[in-house]
Every structure is written in structure tokens, then in C-alpha cells.
Amino acid sequence: MVTQAEKSMPVADQVRVQFGAGIHKTIASEVSRLSASRALILSSPEQSDMATEIAATLGQAAAGVFCKAAMHTPVSVTQEALEHLETCKADCLVSVGGGSTTGLGKALAYRTDLPQIVIPTTYAGSEATPILGQTEDGVKTTLSDPKVLPEVILYDPELVVTLPVAMTVTSGLNAMAHAAEALYAENRSAASDELAIQGLDAFVKGLPRVIANPEDLDAREDTLRGAWACGTVLGQVGMGLHHKLCHTLGGSFDLPHAQTHAIILPHAIAYNARSAATELAPIAALLGGDNAGVALYNFAKSLGAPLALRDLGLKEADLDRATELATSKPYPNPHPVTAPDIRALLRAAWAGDTPVI
């Protein structure tokens, strides 16, 4: 049953966004609203039960289920999903899960232009962007296209209540990274700054409440609203060093997405605070302290977040290659990107040390 918490949230004119406990149970009406009748439900293997539940809710409107979404959206998985989509003759996509499943839905929409409904079960925020990251031959690339922006997003706090605390923390920090980098983006605006601060504030206040009581639906909804704000601002402005490093580490070393973002975030922000301290001041104001990166490190540590890349399986011997990849092509960033400085940043992140300032 949908609670009074259900609300519509305007994003872009073509996107319908709703919040509310139980909102995922309205999926049949959302498919019908799109003038569709054969939905392919997507998930990762770990969330196949949820995909099956959505299929049962849809009944005859469920054309099939594909539960092989994987981290970093491998093109090989997308190709397999395309074959399944053609076989079941689906006319819309329903993605239920985190960033991996959302990424697969976007990859399929990019190739077929089918409408998408996303039901997030993490705080990744990628569902709110027209950005698609894909991995092929060990290299992750990104593109932006209106075709990959979902038509419908249903944020249901009931579906994140069971998200483990550890994953809640890393997923939340992953979302916060979008907003943090938006504050110093070259094409930022007063509106994007406001949205970024809104998202950061929601997580700074909401994550401790969720950790204290994971079943607090109000706290879960507040953090989902933070995910929406952080994801939306990601789609409005360009990203810098943090996202470049995370794409390098994820795509080339197969590190887990959210955990990598959680670890790199304080270090990248401390690095860029050398040239963008004023722009990053809202983070320090929210968390306390003089340096936004160090403040984020202390916040992450207080939440029990992972702090060291070596704990994710990255070898110290990999740092030179990661540095080379992260500095091989120029990209907009407030502080100059040099190999020695990036090597020092990655070494601190590898060891779990306090960020270099």
C-alpha cells in the first residue's frame, strides 16, 4: 500500500519520479502509463528474487526476466541481454537494483530506445542521469545521451530497508561523490550548487540515522531523496578527478564500484581543495573542520566505511599502472593533475591513510 509519503518530484519534463513506501507495487500501472505491455525485468543475480516478485506483480505484462547485470556494465552482458530482449519481444524495461542493474537498463535503452522504469534498491543515483558507463576489454568509457535517461523512477524506502549497513554506507558515499564534485565543476550554476548541497545535507543527516535504525522508513526516504539530488546534479554538470580515478580503478582493476568511490572520495576532494577550497566550503560546514577532504575521511571513518584500496584487492604494484591510466588524457579539474601527485594520492588511499593535503 502506498503511504502518504508518496510524492512526485519534477526532474526533467520527460521523467516521472515518485517517492513512497510501497510505491514499487504500482509497477503495473506505470508500465501501462508508458503504453507498454511486455516488460523485461532486469536485476543482478543477487536480486533475482526481487525481479521475480516484480514479474509476478506484473503478471501477463511481464515478458521475461534477465538477472545477469554486473558491475561496470560489461558490453558482453549487454549483448546477451539484447538477445534475450529480442527473444521475448519486450517493449519496455524495468530495472530493479543498484547501479549495475540501472547501467544494464541504460545500455539496452541506448541500443533500442525502449522506455525504462527504474526501481532503485541502493543510493547509487545513476538512475537520475543521462550518463552511461560501459566496460569492454578492461577499459571503462562513458557517454551521455537522452536515450539512456529513464522515463520513470520509483523510490521505495521499503526496498532499501534490508540493504546491509555496510552497503548503505558505501552506496551513500558513492552518491555524495557526485554532489561533491559538482561543487567545483566548470559548468556549475547556482541551481546545481543548491541541488548538490541538498543531496549532501540529506546524507550527512540521514546516514547516521539509518545506521542507528536500518528499518527507519523516514530516514531511508530522506537518504533516497539525497540519492535523487546527487544523481540529478551528476547529470547536470561535468565531473573531475574523483570520477576519473574511480572509473580507472573499477574498469581496469575490477574493483567494486561503491566501495571504491567511498575510499577515493576524501582523497580526491582533499586534492582539489588545494585549488577549490572556497567551492568545497559547504562540505566542511556540514561536517566540521577546515579541509573538506579530511572532513569526509573522518565522516566515512565514523560510519565504518572501508578506507583502504588494498582491502578491496588492489596491489601496491598496481599503483603505477593506475597512475598512468588516470593521467593519460587531460580532463577538466580544478587542481592540476600530475603523475607524482596522483601517485601520492593513490598510495594514501591504498594504505587507508588520512588524505594528503
Side-chain angles (χ1 to χ4, degrees):
M1 180 176 180
V2 179
T3 71
Q4 291 182 349
E6 176 188 344
K7 294 181 181 179
S8 293
M9 180 76 73
V11 188
D13 290 342
Q14 72 271 32
V15 184
R16 171 179 165 83
V17 180
Q18 292 197 307
F19 296 83
I23 195 72
H24 77 282
K25 297 172 185 175
T26 66
I27 185 64
S29 64
E30 297 296 340
V31 169
S32 178
R33 184 186 291 269
L34 292 174
S35 299
S37 59
R38 295 187 60 78
L40 174 62
I41 299 94
L42 308 172
S43 80
S44 65
E46 296 77 13
Q47 294 188 301
S48 59
D49 288 348
M50 177 58 68
T52 302
E53 178 188 327
I54 295 294
T57 301
L58 283 171
Q60 292 184 343
V65 176
F66 184 87
C67 300
K68 297 183 181 181
M71 286 192 306
H72 311 301
T73 316
V75 171
S76 59
V77 174
T78 301
Q79 292 298 334
E80 185 177 352
L82 271 173
E83 294 174 8
H84 189 75
L85 186 156
E86 292 170 1
T87 299
C88 67
K89 297 180 171 29
D91 59 5
C92 75
L93 304 164
V94 175
S95 300
V96 55
S100 297
T101 305
T102 300
L104 176 59
K106 287 181 167 185
L108 293 174
Y110 179 66
R111 290 162 172 80
T112 65
D113 206 20
L114 288 179
Q116 305 171 74
I117 300 171
V118 180
I119 306 173
T121 61
T122 70
Y123 303 108
S126 59
E127 67 278 351
T129 80
I131 301 167
L132 168 63
Q134 305 177 96
T135 302
E136 188 171 21
D137 299 327
V139 178
K140 188 169 186 177
T141 58
T142 60
L143 60 87
S144 182
D145 191 295
K147 287 194 297 186
V148 308
L149 185 67
E151 280 70 17
V152 180
I153 310 172
L154 303 178
Y155 288 104
D156 191 333
E158 289 183 359
L159 300 187
V160 290
V161 161
T162 57
L163 190 67
V165 168
M167 194 176 297
T168 294
V169 169
T170 55
S171 183
L173 290 169
N174 176 20
M176 291 176 69
H178 310 328
E181 286 223 289
L183 291 174
Y184 52 59
E186 281 189 330
N187 57 340
R188 73 184 189 279
S189 64
S192 69
D193 281 354
E194 181 179 357
L195 196 58
I197 294 169
Q198 175 186 333
L200 290 164
D201 182 65
F203 279 115
V204 168
K205 294 177 179 176
L207 281 176
R209 291 166 56 210
V210 168
I211 291 172
N213 180 9
E215 296 183 3
D216 183 339
L217 287 178
D218 289 337
R220 288 286 189 177
E221 182 168 332
D222 287 346
T223 47
L224 282 174
R225 289 179 182 276
W228 169 81
C230 292
T232 300
V233 81
L234 170 65
Q236 293 181 352
V237 299
M239 296 286 108
L241 176 65
H242 170 84
H243 283 75
K244 175 64 175 180
L245 290 175
C246 290
H247 284 173
T248 296
L249 293 167
S252 299
F253 300 94
D254 200 32
L255 298 192
H257 183 83
Q259 294 93 319
T260 302
H261 275 268
I263 293 170
I264 289 294
L265 175 59
H267 298 274
I269 296 303
Y271 185 97
N272 280 334
R274 301 171 190 179
S275 295
T278 299
E279 291 85 347
L280 291 167
I283 296 177
L286 284 171
L287 294 172
D290 298 323
N291 183 281
V294 174
L296 283 165
Y297 179 86
N298 292 333
F299 180 62
K301 190 174 183 180
S302 75
L303 298 174
L307 300 174
L309 291 173
R310 63 184 174 187
D311 294 339
L312 304 185
L314 189 72
K315 300 175 182 177
E316 189 170 13
D318 293 329
L319 296 180
D320 288 338
R321 175 61 176 159
T323 300
E324 179 185 354
L325 290 169
T327 57
S328 61
K329 295 179 182 179
Y331 47 89
N333 194 65
H335 191 71
V337 175
T338 68
D341 285 345
I342 296 303
R343 180 62 167 75
L345 181 161
L346 288 172
R347 178 60 176 73
W350 177 83
D353 295 340
T354 303
V356 178
I357 61 174

